[in-house]
Amino acid sequence: APQIKIPEGYDITIKDDGEKLRTIKHSGTWSSEVAMFAVGTGSTLTFASTSTDDTSPMLALDGSNTSVSSRLVHIPTNVTVNIGKGVKVSNYKNNTSGVVGGVFDVTGGTLSITGGVFDGNEAPYAGVIRAQCGTVTITGGTFTNNKATKDGGVFLAHYDAGTKNVPVTLTIENATFLSNSVGNAGGVLNVQKNILIYTTITECTFK
């Protein structure tokens, strides 16, 4: 079960108080994958910061407890998750065999990233974002030192027979990708065969 459940039909914003860096840390021990947040149908979960500078984040989401095999949030149909500037998401290591999506698992919902730092996240597939269907829009942010031991160091468009005719819409603009790695294919982006995806990538930095 998730650690924090957002009921259906709510608009929730989690934000620091502006005094100093505030950290939400995923802790505990499970034998299988557990999301930190579960968001109910029709709800929106926003992580925001009083800082507008990604080099000085004021809200941190930390998954560094190595006994946990987990992601931050699952994003099913009719659910929206937003990440803004001044938020740092780090050290999520989803180590369960075959699990995809170190931080986010998009299965029909909407993920919007307008800024933030995503550092040191890891999974066998998709170090940061797995999308099976749904919408992922990235219009800023820095992705560093993320890793997939197999495919998709940052992002994996993952084929599933049950949603093969439902597209992934991926937009990436003005984002920076540095020192991300992969064991097999796609240091930043990997698209599996047979998946329906619409992709736009503009004004980004890859190193």
Side-chain angles (χ1 to χ4, degrees), residues 23-27 36 60-68 70 89-94 121:
T23 300
I24 300 173
K25 189 167 185 177
H26 198 153
S27 61
M36 187 173 187
L61 305 169
D62 183 3
S64 63
N65 189 331
T66 56
S67 65
V68 175
S70 179
V89 182
S90 62
N91 301 315
Y92 276 85
K93 291 180 170 58
N94 207 334
N121 302 290

Side-chain angles (χ1 to χ4, degrees), residues 1-187:
Q3 287 192 306
I4 301 172
K5 295 185 74 173
I6 308 298
E8 294 184 3
Y10 278 74
D11 188 345
I12 303 293
T13 297
I14 297 175
K15 189 175 183 178
D16 64 272
D17 58 8
E19 294 185 0
K20 64 178 182 179
L21 176 66
R22 301 296 184 179
T23 300
I24 300 173
K25 189 167 185 177
H26 198 153
S27 61
T29 303
W30 293 274
S31 60
S32 60
E33 186 273 326
V34 176
M36 187 173 187
F37 290 88
V39 185
T41 300
S43 290
T44 297
L45 175 61
T46 299
F47 297 96
S49 174
T50 56
S51 172
T52 58
D53 183 356
D54 283 341
T55 64
S56 301
M58 292 291 283
L59 177 65
L61 305 169
D62 183 3
S64 63
N65 189 331
T66 56
S67 65
V68 175
S69 205
S70 179
R71 62 174 61 95
L72 178 65
V73 62
H74 174 221
I75 309 173
T77 300
N78 204 20
V79 165
T80 298
V81 173
N82 303 311
I83 306 287
K85 289 184 178 180
V87 177
K88 183 176 182 179
V89 182
S90 62
N91 301 315
Y92 276 85
K93 291 180 170 58
N94 207 334
N95 295 320
T96 304
S97 177
V99 165
V100 290
V103 181
F104 305 105
D105 183 23
V106 182
T107 57
T110 298
L111 172 64
S112 175
I113 296 172
T114 56
V117 176
F118 301 82
D119 180 71
N121 302 290
E122 181 180 335
Y125 296 90
V128 181
I129 305 164
R130 186 285 285 260
Q132 176 180 304
C133 57
T135 301
V136 177
T137 302
I138 300 170
T139 55
T142 301
F143 297 78
T144 58
N145 303 307
N146 301 289
K147 178 182 179 181
T149 54
K150 295 184 179 179
D151 297 330
V154 173
F155 181 91
L156 174 73
H158 181 235
Y159 175 76
D160 183 272
T163 57
K164 64 181 180 180
N165 295 319
V166 183
V168 172
T169 301
L170 172 65
T171 302
I172 307 176
E173 301 174 354
N174 300 309
T176 299
F177 300 86
L178 304 173
S179 301
N180 300 288
S181 62
V182 66
N184 187 19

